[in-house]
Amino acid sequence: MVDLPRNIQDTDPEDFANELLRKVDNSLKCPICKAYFDAAMYSDCGHTFCAVCLRESLSMKQECPICRKPAKELSMKKNIMLEDTLILWQQARDTLLTLERLEAANASKKRKRSASIQSIESDSNEAGPSSRPASTTVKKMKKRAESTQKTGDSTMTECPMCQNLVVEAIINQHIDGGCNPENDKKITRDSQRAKVQWSSVFGKSASAKRKATPISLTVPPRGETEPGTLEKLPRGSYDILKDKDLRRMLKEEGLPTDGETEAMKSRHKQ
Amino acid sequence: MSLPKRIIKETERLVNDPAPGISAVPHDDNLRYFDVAITGPEGSPFEGGIFKLELFLPEEYPMSPPKVRFLTKIYHPNIDKLGRICLDILKEKWSPALQIRTVLLSVQALLSSPNPDDPLATDVAKHYKEDEKGAQNVSREWTRQYAS
């Protein structure tokens, strides 16, 4: 076994035990840098990469790094939907990881304990057989969601994360919102509003449809998280520049000014 | 110079979940330098051998391909005396979406299917073209002699 330097900006904690969740997680990472997409962009073929990674790759070879179809920097487009999905996934990820860990802990506890001592915890894990492999997390969560919806709005339950009593119907949103009681109030309000609006949606009222998106309220405003709004560096035509001008431009960007003309051009491009 | 996250991720996976017949272990003092061992594919003249290679990730990786070289002597039309490998993805067909694992799998595949029409070791290629059986026997003999 090799010890890897742990200190190096390895921002995401350990991976999911569940293979499917691990695959979903990896599908939101750039095939070039293997980190979560940073300003996801794609070219004509549709394969998506970080803006910086794709641009750097296209500057060396004008083809898609995955399918090798011809691709040009000018045809790069933002993948807005994927960025939204990524933000939501990163919010849900911690919850899923915690649930996965709880699951594993519960499973090992239950193996040790006798059936009679199973009290509060097993109550909150409705209908869970005594030992359950970690791979069924998703199924179990669905079950839990179903059962909370069946019970009335006012049933209180203990949150597995913050141990506070929370209205059972909104426990999932409560955890997603980082166990913030302020959030809970909003969620309750939203869900009530949503119910009213959903009924009007089913009553074919088009105007209600637009308002009935309470879940998206938890998404941070786009401006904060979207690197795509950064101003694009101006790209000049290098061929009409003299070496002296090129050096000056490199200096302005804080880049080294030595080497051949071609090297300086490509350095400034990046 | 710190190690890019991508290299850390790749190394983790190579070590914890190695591809069949392939091992790659980074040096303690240089995590861009790997000791690689590839087992000769079944049914090929290299079956039964364990071939050592070195793999180096240049500063520009993954924008530039890794540098790979055989350390074990091998009789193969696309691998020369110095262990250099003639493989398109290590040169003009490199793509930053490829990785160490895919490169080593390709090298392993090259052992199964030598390509004497695009030779690096011209004498070996000539031998393979003119007398494939005889050339394979030499490959088998070298495998027994140097790679076991």
Side-chain angles (χ1 to χ4, degrees), chain A residues 49 97 268:
Chain A
F49 310 85
L97 271 173
H268 189 261

Side-chain angles (χ1 to χ4, degrees), chain A residues 4 6 12 32 61 65 68, chain B residues 5-6 92-95:
Chain A
L4 292 161
R6 273 262 152 236
D12 44 307
I32 294 182
K61 214 190 284 178
R68 299 186 191 278
Chain B
K5 184 196 184 78
R6 156 158 177 162
E92 77 281 359
K93 286 281 180 204
W94 171 253
S95 147

Side-chain angles (χ1 to χ4, degrees), chain A:
Chain A
M1 208 49 124
V2 181
D3 283 330
L4 292 161
R6 273 262 152 236
N7 52 339
I8 297 161
Q9 50 133 16
D10 201 2
T11 42
D12 44 307
E14 69 265 55
D15 283 332
F16 290 101
N18 183 304
E19 200 193 335
L20 191 58
L21 287 177
R22 202 163 55 226
K23 280 185 181 163
V24 176
D25 199 36
N26 280 331
S27 75
L28 291 168
K29 291 177 182 172
C30 169
I32 294 182
C33 68
K34 311 279 178 203
Y36 285 119
F37 288 111
D38 180 7
M41 292 191 99
Y42 60 97
S43 186
D44 294 329
C45 61
H47 287 117
T48 300
F49 310 85
C50 300
V52 173
C53 297
L54 182 55
R55 202 162 276 146
E56 195 177 348
S57 178
L58 292 184
S59 76
M60 309 195 69
K61 214 190 284 178
Q62 301 207 321
E63 61 178 35
C64 168
I66 289 181
C67 66
R68 299 186 191 278
K69 288 215 177 97
K72 283 194 187 121
E73 198 184 327
L74 284 174
S75 58
M76 279 170 64
K77 292 171 205 74
K78 262 199 249 180
N79 195 337
I80 299 171
M81 294 296 280
L82 189 68
E83 289 204 326
D84 288 346
T85 308
L86 178 58
I87 291 168
L88 287 171
W89 172 250
Q90 283 174 319
Q91 289 174 353
R93 193 177 188 276
D94 288 345
T95 312
L96 286 170
L97 271 173
T98 316
L99 283 172
E100 205 176 54
R101 244 173 268 139
L102 275 177
E103 188 95 28
N106 275 351
S108 63
K109 254 189 220 165
K110 279 174 188 167
R111 269 196 296 275
K112 285 176 202 159
R113 281 193 296 185
S114 68
S116 60
I117 323 172
Q118 291 176 14
S119 55
I120 310 162
E121 276 150 77
S122 50
D123 283 350
S124 61
N125 289 338
E126 289 111 341
S130 53
S131 80
R132 204 194 266 263
S135 60
T136 55
T137 318
V138 179
K139 224 195 276 164
K140 184 168 173 184
M141 280 168 50
K142 259 191 211 156
K143 248 191 192 165
R144 203 182 278 176
E146 278 164 21
S147 61
T148 48
Q149 267 149 27
K150 268 179 237 151
T151 54
D153 267 5
S154 53
T155 325
M156 300 297 271
T157 186
E158 191 185 350
C159 168
M161 319 278 282
C162 65
Q163 271 84 41
N164 286 328
L165 283 180
V166 181
V167 181
E168 200 172 323
I170 62 156
I171 182 85
N172 287 332
Q173 291 98 316
H174 164 78
I175 295 170
D176 290 345
C179 298
N180 182 353
E182 286 302 313
N183 242 357
D184 294 349
K185 280 179 212 155
K186 199 172 90 193
I187 294 160
T188 322
R189 241 186 296 128
D190 286 342
S191 63
Q192 278 161 359
R193 200 172 355 132
K195 249 178 221 162
V196 176
Q197 280 162 344
W198 276 115
S199 63
S200 47
V201 168
F202 289 125
K204 284 184 183 166
S205 155
S207 65
K209 224 180 222 167
R210 244 176 288 133
K211 290 180 214 156
T213 51
I215 302 158
S216 65
L217 287 173
T218 54
V219 182
R222 289 197 59 83
E224 279 176 27
T225 43
E226 196 194 29
T229 51
L230 286 172
E231 227 179 283
K232 236 184 174 178
L233 282 174
R235 157 125 344 151
S237 167
Y238 296 99
D239 297 331
I240 58 164
L241 290 171
K242 292 220 170 91
D243 276 11
K244 205 171 65 186
D245 300 323
L246 204 55
R247 285 214 182 79
R248 182 176 46 76
M249 281 162 66
L250 282 170
K251 219 171 197 174
E252 277 169 15
E253 305 291 343
L255 293 164
T257 56
D258 50 336
E260 308 227 330
T261 316
E262 280 308 313
M264 288 198 289
K265 278 181 198 168
S266 69
R267 198 183 301 141
H268 189 261
K269 249 189 209 174
Q270 286 174 15

